[in-house]
Amino acid sequence: MSPQLDPRHDIDGDVYVSPRYLASTTGIGDPALAPLLELGWELQHDEDGNVYVSAPDRRVRLGYLPEGEDDGLWRINAYKDPFGPPTWGVCFNDRVPTEFVAAFTAALATAYEQGPDAYLAAPDPRNTDHDPFLAVAPLIQRGWQFDLPRRGVFAVQSADGYAGLEFTTGDLDPEAELTTRDARWSLWAGTSIERPAWYATASTNTPVALLQAVTECVSDPAPLPRWREDTHSYVEGMAQLTTILPPGPPAPTPLEVQRAVARRPAALPASSVPRWSTISRQALPGPRH
């Protein structure tokens, strides 16, 4: 049994949700912020409760925006010039499973430590390390199917049809990619991309390694723990919910078993074992009044 599914581990939830892309958000941003804060990135917040995290060189910025202008809860942008327009941008809306955002920020932290050539590396089909197909590969390897939903769009979809990834070809408006859902990459779950349960977008120059970290996490067959009362109505009809067993007592070690046997009293001889009489005992006198 893998540690993630071991009921003896501390699990934040009372049900497992499978497939995991139907689990929705945990409502807690700390796990996704942690990989960047551990590198010493600066954290600020405003009076509305929005959080802003900046890399030491100001070339990467993250916004966690529960009080933002739209449902884009997470917005991450990278810059070649700290004072210029973003080189790439990624958005996760307010229902994306937090684990998927954490997968992205963990990959971003790794890329940042490697330097600008890693976290500013645009996809390039001529380069085996930056081939855009690498972002799709984890999905294909786990049974997602190719699709061509409309002209100029390449897509893959989960076997149950409740999740998909779309890649739009051709020229796109750079500003629209950063502020709308009209981006190069679009990942979603639900009954349709038009009205998804959650969605994430990534602009044209988003490094493939960061996208691959997300698709790897999204397609992981292991379920995610959630509290049943926090699951949304769409989950009940599409996802499988499995009750998480309460932690059981740990199994005794061989040494503990030996000690228990050593402490057990010796058996009494047969002659000393009292026999039950078949004669009814007289009733004891009642209390005196």
Side-chain angles (χ1 to χ4, degrees):
M1 180 178 290
S2 67
Q4 189 174 9
L5 300 181
D6 191 338
R8 293 175 296 178
H9 284 69
D10 293 332
I11 298 174
D12 190 15
D14 57 5
V15 294
Y16 283 121
V17 180
S18 180
R20 59 169 40 203
Y21 45 75
L22 295 177
S24 192
T25 180
T26 63
I28 301 174
D30 292 359
L33 296 173
L36 305 179
L37 298 181
E38 289 172 358
L39 293 183
W41 290 29
E42 180 183 353
L43 182 146
Q44 297 179 328
H45 58 83
D46 60 24
E47 63 277 6
D48 295 325
N50 298 313
V51 173
Y52 306 92
V53 178
S54 300
D57 62 2
R58 303 299 187 207
R59 287 189 173 186
V60 186
R61 303 169 196 165
L62 175 148
Y64 175 66
L65 312 170
E67 299 299 328
E69 297 180 354
D70 54 28
D71 66 346
L73 180 61
W74 300 88
R75 292 192 180 276
I76 305 100
N77 294 338
Y79 306 78
K80 289 183 178 179
D81 179 353
F83 298 99
T87 301
W88 59 258
V90 168
C91 173
F92 298 93
N93 89 325
D94 56 0
R95 287 192 175 183
V96 173
T98 311
E99 292 85 352
F100 303 166
V101 186
F104 181 89
T105 56
L108 176 59
T110 298
Y112 187 80
E113 288 189 298
Q114 295 171 351
D117 289 342
Y119 66 83
L120 294 175
D124 184 354
R126 300 167 298 179
N127 188 325
T128 56
D129 293 331
H130 304 295
D131 187 340
F133 182 76
L134 294 176
V136 183
L139 306 176
I140 299 300
Q141 292 167 359
R142 288 170 173 159
W144 291 39
Q145 302 296 317
F146 289 106
D147 191 17
L148 292 172
R150 55 194 179 278
R151 184 180 179 86
V153 175
F154 162 85
V156 292
Q157 196 169 48
S158 61
D160 59 12
Y162 291 141
L165 173 69
E166 292 194 352
F167 177 85
T168 301
T169 61
D171 296 330
L172 298 176
D173 181 346
E175 183 176 353
E177 284 197 79
L178 300 172
T179 57
T180 72
R181 292 181 59 193
D182 296 329
R184 183 70 63 191
W185 300 88
S186 182
L187 181 65
W188 58 276
T191 55
S192 71
I193 190 173
E194 289 78 17
R195 300 187 64 182
W198 62 259
Y199 69 86
T201 61
S203 69
T204 298
N205 292 318
T206 305
V208 172
L210 308 186
L211 298 171
Q212 185 178 13
V214 177
T215 57
E216 182 75 34
C217 188
V218 168
S219 60
D220 190 325
L224 293 177
R226 292 293 186 270
W227 295 105
R228 184 182 293 270
E229 63 268 20
D230 294 337
T231 58
H232 297 281
S233 59
Y234 74 87
V235 171
E236 298 289 345
M238 298 184 290
Q240 178 182 351
L241 304 184
T242 305
T243 302
I244 298 175
L245 299 177
T253 65
L255 180 59
E256 290 172 335
V257 173
Q258 291 178 0
R259 289 174 176 173
V261 172
R263 289 195 297 266
R264 185 180 301 168
L268 296 174
S271 60
S272 67
V273 178
R275 295 178 179 272
W276 290 105
S277 173
T278 58
I279 302 175
S280 299
R281 298 178 60 186
Q282 295 182 355
L284 296 176
R288 299 179 62 183
H289 296 285

